[in-house]
Amino acid sequence: MGALPKTDRIYIPPRDKTKVAKARQVEGFYDVQINKAFSIAFEQYEKTLEQLSKV
């Protein structure tokens, strides 16, 4: 059985290397922190996540 041909590839933009994540103490509830992290990631990779949801 042969491999299926790849159709369109998902474009993942290159990482902005000027932004460096640093560890820091964060106050607040865990669920609020998770929602904030998701919103930051969604802003950066919105188009990519939309393409993945169509697969």
Side-chain angles (χ1 to χ4, degrees):
M1 189 168 181
L4 296 174
K6 294 183 180 179
T7 55
D8 293 332
R9 300 213 42 143
I10 295 175
Y11 173 72
I12 300 174
R15 180 177 62 90
D16 183 7
K17 296 185 181 183
T18 61
K19 295 182 181 178
V20 178
K22 296 180 183 177
R24 64 182 185 274
Q25 184 177 2
V26 179
E27 296 180 7
F29 296 105
Y30 180 74
D31 57 341
V32 175
Q33 294 174 11
I34 295 297
N35 288 337
K36 184 176 179 183
F38 176 77
S39 67
I40 290 171
F42 190 77
E43 284 179 18
Q44 292 177 352
Y45 300 108
E46 181 176 2
K47 290 183 181 179
T48 304
L49 290 172
E50 288 176 357
Q51 289 179 354
L52 284 172
S53 69
K54 294 177 184 176
V55 173

